[in-house]
Amino acid sequence: MPVSRSPHDTWDCMLPGPPSRNNGGSAHCSTNGLLAYGAGSSVVVVDSRTMQLISVLPMPAPSASPIGLAPFVTAVCWTPQPIRRDLLTHEPSNSHLLIAVGDRQGRIALWDFRLRQVILWLEFDSPTSLAFSDKSKPGIQDLCWIRAKADSLILASISGPSLLSLWNTSNGRCIWRYDASPEYFSCIRRDPFDFRHFCALGLKGFLLSVIVHGEEENDVVIKELHVPTFSDFRELHKVEKEGGNNPATSPALAVFPLFIVRFSFSPQWRYILFVTFPKELVVFDLQYETSLASASLPRKCGKFLDVLPDPDNDWLYCAHLDGKISIWRRKEGEQANRMCVMEEIMPSIGTSVPSPALLSVILCQSEAMLQNIVKLCPNSSHDSPAEDYDAPLDCYSKSDLVPKAHIISITDDGKIWNWHLTAEGARDSLEAIRKAWVSNSSEVTAQEKHNKTIDVSTHGPLFEAVKESGPIKRSSSRTSKSAHTIGDLSFKISLVGQLHLLSSTITTLAVPSPSLTATLARGGNYPAVAVPLIALGTQSGMIDVIDVSANAVASSFSAHSTIVRGLRWLGNSRLVSFSYVQVSEKAGGYTNRLVVTCLRSGLNRTFRVLQKPERAPIRALRASSSGRYLLILLRDAPVEVWAMTKCPIMLRSLALPFTVLEWTLPTVPRLHKVPSRQSSFPSKEHMMAPAAASIYASCTDSKTTDISIDDTSESFSFALVNGALGVFEVHGRRIRDFRRVLGSSVLTGNTDMYSGM
């Protein structure tokens, strides 16, 4: 009876492809450490603490074209929930593992990750009312969750270039819309001090402040602002004038993929925004509607990609497009920041050329929240469960309590990098900062105890009870106490983990086929061991070896600089692959590249290197089951037979009009027993089964039995253009006809063709 697999099991056995700029850097890490990011038309979920792939959620194809391809995922956002949750929890319908996913066709899906299914689709009732046709729906730029009431969540979305919408997630109805055209919205961020309040920022500095008091259209209050900047917008004007990429319905990530504008609320100071334009960092005050400070990037620094404020310090982590991260520190007594450190978060060792692109950087909040728990409980012992929650990282000892950040970066070669950023310095400096944190935490706790009108679920971690006249007391007092000590600290970033998934689009694959003859190429006495590996050739020139049993990338090799056109196994420890490049279209000619990759040493060795371009490219490769021989098929050219020794040798070139070539299945080596003396009685071996007899023969004393194995030969079958069939046998370095396996009627009249090699 066949066993049917559920879709959930199928998704858990999927390996996602790499993300790209078409995904818009969509990524979000929940408070329980689940990282979700867009890769092609799927959502990849990874455990950020163990760096293990959990599952892949493929977006369904649109209902209008169910057999077509699903659009790119462009936005993901987990629902805001408490930190301590378990993947194996059995909550009924109100699962905490809800994630909102938006794509390039304007669809928004609410996924229940525990059930692995879409529980609600959010779509506009009538596309014509928004002046959009079915074929050109506005893509989703960004998503953000808003908590208008204690028991309800509202989803804010940016559709197309300038449409901001609010959705009721209980019934899927759009309750409010705002069109900011001709502006281009870039991102949405929620206020950490008030979960009813959020802002949307445009590429040119347009800022929309929104407060949601309820679930009706009249409950939304907005304020239009502008962030002043000295950025150069000539690139934007040029693209707008040309009208490329359908700017009427395309989001900013599609029209301006390299002009990135981001902002973030300060977790230390209320009403303060940190805004990054491509070459400028601006500190903006929402209360006074003015810019407090501005800083330009030095020369040779890459453009800003994102800005991530530290939740516990007046530090900013700014990601750059060139794969670096800069740390900015607030100046004492003012709201201005200066860059103090620039670090690499995309190592150049072992990466391909050209270097992969940095797509997104995420600051995980789970560790910061756990540190806050320790600060609010200064009298608790260091053996508490809260500190042991992430014990392998050893994050919460007294010496390391102050400056630590957990940063994850995602690149377009399918790699996820796990970084720990710490501040190191004198012990006295760290101890002074730690004491300042504890004292400030007690002040905040005392202030909260005197306030009786706090709605925790609506107003966020520091609540609406904070006075609107200035920064919160926790920030001001802590900053003043620690400003004189942090000058002695130095920052250090360490790579603590990496998850390697598929590096590029797959172009070819190969499965090893070990046999009884595969050991002869390695000099062994036993058949080659079957390995659960699959080799994948990719569009970027990388070769990924997949461990099927673990559903993971076992290793990756940079063998080519162009598309891998063909790939074959040589036994179970070597791979042979080829690629080619056309030299010129006018003169013609191709440069073929053949590479043998050793999985054990990781070395790539080229062979068949020619000085001049060839007339024809390589069409395919055919490797024998032992991996000792290789057929190289060129387009409209002779077939070459190679012996794949340590230094490959070409044995013969066959100038015949082949149409099909394939190696035949291997045969079991024949055993010859030479007894030392004759006997008229039947031996034990003759009375045994054939399989047992071979085992018995191998274990018999050498004085009585001598076992020898025939030198194995391999053969390949072929067909010619006139329909004739034949077989060639390769024995060592000799190639001969193997006519006896074919009938005489087949060979009649074709002797001259396949014997004229």
Side-chain angles (χ1 to χ4, degrees):
M1 179 178 178
V3 179
S4 61
R5 302 186 64 178
S6 64
H8 302 172
D9 298 334
T10 304
W11 296 346
D12 292 339
C13 296
M14 291 178 58
L15 276 178
S20 64
R21 294 204 183 276
N22 292 321
N23 296 112
S26 55
H28 187 223
C29 188
S30 66
T31 53
N32 46 22
L34 292 180
L35 171 66
Y37 69 92
S41 58
S42 302
V43 180
V44 184
V45 181
V46 175
D47 190 339
S48 63
R49 292 165 295 192
T50 61
M51 297 303 290
Q52 291 182 348
L53 175 66
I54 297 178
S55 184
V56 179
L57 306 177
M59 284 287 284
S63 56
S65 57
I67 60 174
L69 297 177
F72 288 103
V73 171
T74 55
V76 294
C77 189
W78 291 98
T79 53
Q81 291 292 338
I83 183 171
R84 193 62 184 242
R85 291 287 185 169
D86 189 3
L87 279 175
L88 301 179
T89 184
H90 295 285
E91 298 183 0
S93 58
N94 55 347
S95 174
H96 60 279
L97 297 172
L98 291 179
I99 179 173
V101 181
D103 62 18
R104 281 290 297 271
Q105 288 196 3
R107 302 182 304 166
I108 302 176
L110 292 187
W111 280 86
D112 188 324
F113 179 65
R114 183 177 63 88
L115 301 177
R116 306 289 207 279
Q117 65 182 9
V118 179
I119 60 175
L120 183 64
W121 287 97
L122 304 179
E123 293 180 309
F124 293 109
D125 297 333
S126 175
T128 57
S129 62
L130 299 173
F132 298 130
S133 64
D134 294 334
K135 295 183 180 180
S136 59
K137 293 182 179 180
I140 302 298
Q141 171 77 16
D142 200 5
L143 297 171
C144 183
W145 288 97
I146 312 299
R147 193 184 294 275
K149 295 181 180 179
D151 57 346
S152 66
L153 286 173
I154 291 177
L155 184 64
S157 67
I158 296 177
S159 303
S162 57
L163 183 62
L164 178 64
S165 307
L166 296 179
W167 301 86
N168 187 332
T169 55
S170 59
N171 53 24
R173 183 174 59 91
C174 180
I175 62 176
W176 180 82
R177 284 179 240 167
Y178 179 88
D179 192 354
S181 58
E183 296 287 340
Y184 280 87
F185 274 135
S186 176
C187 60
I188 318 173
R189 296 293 183 267
R190 184 184 57 203
D191 192 344
F193 299 103
D194 186 355
F195 282 4
R196 304 169 305 171
H197 177 224
F198 71 95
C199 291
L201 179 66
L203 293 181
K204 299 179 182 179
F206 174 74
L207 183 68
L208 184 67
S209 177
V210 183
I211 299 179
V212 183
H213 295 282
E215 298 180 353
E216 300 297 332
E217 186 175 0
N218 297 329
D219 297 332
V220 181
V221 179
I222 66 172
K223 181 186 290 186
E224 296 181 357
L225 305 171
H226 187 269
V227 180
T229 176
F230 299 103
S231 299
D232 188 3
F233 298 111
R234 286 180 295 180
E235 178 184 351
L236 302 183
H237 298 320
K238 180 180 179 181
V239 175
E240 288 178 347
K241 185 179 296 184
E242 294 176 354
N245 292 330
N246 195 11
T249 59
S250 299
L253 62 91
V255 183
F256 311 103
L258 297 180
F259 193 95
I260 302 174
V261 178
R262 294 286 188 268
F263 82 100
S264 183
F265 283 89
S266 170
Q268 308 293 325
W269 303 83
R270 196 172 186 188
Y271 306 116
I272 298 299
L273 302 181
F274 301 110
V275 185
T276 55
F277 295 93
K279 285 286 187 178
E280 185 181 9
L281 172 64
V282 179
V283 182
F284 188 79
D285 193 326
L286 279 176
Q287 184 180 15
Y288 296 102
E289 304 179 8
T290 184
S291 175
L292 301 180
S294 176
S296 299
L297 278 178
R299 292 183 179 180
K300 298 182 180 180
C301 285
K303 296 180 180 180
F304 281 117
L305 175 65
D306 205 348
V307 55
L308 310 169
D310 191 287
D312 296 306
N313 301 279
D314 279 330
W315 303 333
L316 298 176
Y317 308 114
C318 296
H320 300 259
L321 287 176
D322 58 355
K324 297 181 180 180
I325 187 170
S326 58
I327 303 177
W328 299 66
R329 198 169 63 195
R330 189 179 67 87
K331 297 180 181 179
E332 184 179 0
E334 53 183 303
Q335 283 290 357
N337 296 268
R338 63 182 180 87
M339 184 173 66
C340 55
V341 176
M342 178 75 79
E343 294 284 351
E344 282 274 356
I345 56 174
M346 195 169 58
S348 58
I349 300 177
T351 58
S352 58
V353 178
S355 299
L358 181 65
L359 298 180
S360 58
V361 178
I362 305 97
L363 179 63
C364 295
Q365 301 288 343
S366 58
E367 290 188 19
M369 296 182 67
L370 288 172
Q371 292 184 27
N372 289 332
I373 294 174
V374 179
K375 290 188 299 178
L376 293 174
C377 305
N379 297 325
S380 63
S381 65
H382 287 274
D383 296 330
S384 61
E387 296 179 21
D388 292 337
Y389 177 58
D390 204 4
L393 299 179
D394 198 15
C395 298
Y396 308 114
S397 60
K398 285 185 178 181
S399 60
D400 293 340
L401 185 60
V402 182
K404 179 176 283 287
H406 181 198
I407 297 174
I408 292 180
S409 59
I410 302 175
T411 53
D412 64 352
D413 60 347
K415 294 181 181 178
I416 305 175
W417 309 83
N418 188 5
W419 304 91
H420 271 190
L421 192 147
T422 56
E424 299 179 346
R427 181 182 296 271
D428 297 338
S429 300
L430 294 175
E431 187 65 21
I433 298 177
R434 190 184 69 82
K435 291 180 179 179
W437 278 21
V438 174
S439 62
N440 287 316
S441 301
S442 60
E443 294 178 6
V444 174
T445 306
Q447 179 182 357
E448 293 170 355
K449 288 182 179 178
H450 289 293
N451 199 322
K452 304 298 182 181
T453 60
I454 296 176
D455 186 356
V456 178
S457 61
T458 304
H459 300 287
L462 295 179
F463 322 125
E464 187 68 17
V466 181
K467 299 299 181 182
E468 298 183 0
S469 57
I472 62 175
K473 187 177 182 180
R474 178 172 69 98
S475 299
S476 58
S477 59
R478 182 182 65 201
T479 306
S480 61
K481 292 182 181 179
S482 61
H484 67 281
T485 59
I486 59 177
D488 300 330
L489 300 178
S490 61
F491 294 92
K492 178 182 178 181
I493 188 168
S494 303
L495 179 64
V496 296
Q498 183 196 68
L499 177 62
H500 188 187
L501 301 175
L502 297 182
S503 58
S504 182
T505 303
I506 299 173
T507 57
T508 182
L509 63 86
V511 180
S513 57
S515 65
L516 291 174
T517 60
T519 58
L520 299 180
R522 307 190 340 244
N525 296 323
Y526 297 97
V529 179
V531 289
L533 300 178
I534 295 178
L536 303 176
T538 63
Q539 197 169 12
S540 62
M542 301 288 293
I543 297 177
D544 295 333
V545 180
I546 309 300
D547 188 342
V548 179
S549 59
N551 191 35
V553 178
S555 57
S556 185
F557 307 94
S558 179
H560 301 267
S561 58
T562 57
I563 301 174
V564 179
R565 307 281 182 173
L567 184 65
R568 284 292 183 271
W569 285 84
L570 300 176
N572 59 7
S573 61
R574 293 190 302 166
L575 292 167
V576 58
S577 57
F578 78 91
S579 63
Y580 60 81
V581 178
Q582 188 173 6
V583 178
S584 63
E585 296 182 359
K586 294 182 179 180
Y590 296 85
T591 300
N592 295 309
R593 176 181 171 85
L594 284 155
V595 179
V596 175
T597 303
C598 180
L599 271 63
R600 296 174 179 173
S601 63
L603 297 178
N604 296 314
R605 177 174 295 182
T606 59
F607 69 100
R608 197 183 177 275
V609 180
L610 303 180
Q611 300 295 330
K612 296 181 180 180
E614 298 182 79
R615 180 174 56 88
I618 297 177
R619 185 175 61 177
L621 299 177
R622 295 290 184 268
S624 64
S625 59
S626 68
R628 294 190 302 170
Y629 303 106
L630 179 70
L631 299 178
I632 301 177
L633 285 68
L634 290 90
R635 189 177 302 168
D636 301 329
V639 173
E640 299 178 1
V641 184
W642 285 72
M644 300 307 294
T645 56
K646 186 176 181 180
C647 295
I649 304 172
M650 189 179 77
L651 302 181
R652 198 65 58 87
S653 178
L654 306 177
L656 294 174
F658 295 108
T659 57
V660 178
L661 285 135
E662 191 57 74
W663 291 93
T664 58
L665 295 177
T667 58
V668 179
R670 295 185 297 273
L671 301 178
H672 293 281
K673 189 186 71 168
V674 183
S676 58
R677 59 182 180 180
Q678 300 292 331
S679 176
S680 59
F681 296 98
S683 63
K684 288 184 178 180
E685 186 177 350
H686 290 127
M687 301 173 62
M688 296 179 181
S694 62
I695 299 176
Y696 175 81
S698 63
C699 300
T700 309
D701 187 71
S702 59
K703 293 182 179 180
T704 59
T705 307
D706 183 16
I707 304 262
S708 64
I709 301 178
D710 280 352
D711 292 336
T712 56
S713 61
E714 298 185 72
S715 58
F716 61 91
S717 305
F718 63 89
L720 303 178
V721 292
N722 63 351
L725 303 176
V727 177
F728 280 118
E729 184 184 62
V730 184
H731 189 111
R733 297 190 180 185
R734 295 174 299 172
I735 301 177
R736 65 184 181 89
D737 295 350
F738 199 45
R739 306 182 188 179
R740 59 180 178 272
V741 299
L742 296 178
S744 58
S745 59
V746 178
L747 299 178
T748 303
N750 299 317
T751 304
D752 296 336
M753 294 194 66
Y754 61 79
S755 61
M757 55 183 180

